[in-house]
Amino acid sequence: DRSDDRQVEVKVGSLILETIANAFEEEGNSGSITLDAVSPESWDIGRASEDGDARTPPWEDLIGAATPRSRLVRCEVDLRSSTLKQRVICERHVAYPSVNPKVGCRKNRYIFCGVAHGEDAGPIAGVAKVDAETGAVDAWVPGPTEFGGAPQFVPRGDGAEDDGFLISVIFDGSAGRSDVVILDASDVAKGPICRFPLREAMPHGLGGGTWAEGLSCDEKLLKRKFTLLKMFKKKAQQWNKFDSSVSVSGLNNLFQKQGVKMR
């Protein structure tokens, strides 16, 4: 709280905030903070194996019923009473939220994000603009074998908050091709106003990742890497395991060598 320089702790219960789109103070009210964020219904990353030691690869859990739905929520934090109120802005499964940069850390109306093909959880495919005040969703979703990444908002000028373009990369699994799509942020539902292919296909799921020429990973390679990761995890547990079988007399001799006697 900037008014008296104290740290404020707020209990949030079972609330999970995965990605924050924006945060701001209402003008003239420094006693509250508003957060717009993606909130999963539960925290679940993969399934535990039968021995409880490892988890199945995440790509095997990207099925609607197996993945928690991530909704868009608005949280209002009262710093004076240390309380939080939340409401769901959009029930649809979303990811990669962002706002127009000019309203970053200021009150925003629109949130841009990626959406699944349907209402339920699933791989991100399309692009949406969500009205934080009314809950209205203006969305475009590609074909059933096409999946998108994180949409990037590019302002057209110094106009309205949604006056600009949304750019995303769409991977077509059936064609093995990736396209760049550009949508009008003021009317997302009408679909891309421009679409062109990339020279190389980019894997689906790069939400802020990087691309390197010649890099490609097939399913067999990913499974081998995941197996290797589990082996290292088991070894790390063995190496870091504490052995309490050392005798007291042995410790006494050790400390005596260091000039310290155990009492």
Side-chain angles (χ1 to χ4, degrees), residues 72 89-90 94 109-113 128-132 135-138:
L72 202 57
I89 301 174
C90 176
V94 301
R109 177 170 182 175
Y110 299 113
I111 302 167
F112 310 109
C113 55
K129 176 184 67 177
V130 180
D131 190 324
V137 179
D138 181 14

Side-chain angles (χ1 to χ4, degrees), residues 136-199:
V137 179
D138 181 14
W140 167 78
V141 176
T145 63
E146 296 179 317
F147 305 91
Q152 178 68 45
F153 178 80
V154 179
R156 193 194 312 265
D158 194 23
E161 187 178 331
D162 62 346
D163 184 19
F165 305 95
L166 290 167
I167 302 176
S168 185
V169 176
I170 302 294
F171 174 70
D172 187 336
S174 61
R177 184 189 71 237
S178 292
D179 294 345
V180 173
V181 295
I182 303 176
L183 301 98
D184 185 346
S186 64
D187 190 359
V188 180
K190 73 179 180 182
I193 59 176
C194 179
R195 180 169 183 161
F196 58 89
L198 295 175
R199 289 184 299 173

Side-chain angles (χ1 to χ4, degrees), residues 1-8:
D1 188 348
R2 293 189 302 178
S3 61
D4 58 7
D5 236 6
R6 66 187 175 91
Q7 179 176 305
V8 178

Side-chain angles (χ1 to χ4, degrees), residues 26-195:
E26 290 281 357
E27 188 173 351
N29 182 12
S30 62
S32 68
I33 296 176
T34 300
L35 300 170
D36 291 335
V38 172
S39 176
E41 292 178 323
S42 63
W43 193 254
D44 182 19
I45 305 178
R47 299 187 303 271
S49 60
E50 293 182 359
D51 58 8
D53 181 56
R55 307 190 76 82
T56 57
W59 59 82
E60 292 185 6
D61 280 332
L62 290 181
I63 304 171
T67 306
R69 181 168 51 175
S70 294
R71 304 168 300 174
L72 202 57
V73 301
R74 171 162 283 190
C75 301
E76 297 177 1
V77 182
D78 189 320
L79 301 178
R80 296 185 178 90
S81 61
S82 298
T83 57
L84 177 144
K85 294 180 181 179
Q86 75 169 92
R87 65 179 176 88
V88 177
I89 301 174
C90 176
E91 290 278 2
R92 187 168 183 163
H93 183 66
V94 301
Y96 314 132
S98 64
V99 298
N100 184 328
K102 78 173 185 180
V103 296
C105 297
R106 300 178 181 179
K107 186 175 182 178
N108 62 283
R109 177 170 182 175
Y110 299 113
I111 302 167
F112 310 109
C113 55
V115 293
H117 279 106
E119 297 289 329
D120 295 327
I124 296 302
V127 178
K129 176 184 67 177
V130 180
D131 190 324
E133 295 182 5
T134 66
V137 179
D138 181 14
W140 167 78
V141 176
T145 63
E146 296 179 317
F147 305 91
Q152 178 68 45
F153 178 80
V154 179
R156 193 194 312 265
D158 194 23
E161 187 178 331
D162 62 346
D163 184 19
F165 305 95
L166 290 167
I167 302 176
S168 185
V169 176
I170 302 294
F171 174 70
D172 187 336
S174 61
R177 184 189 71 237
S178 292
D179 294 345
V180 173
V181 295
I182 303 176
L183 301 98
D184 185 346
S186 64
D187 190 359
V188 180
K190 73 179 180 182
I193 59 176
C194 179
R195 180 169 183 161

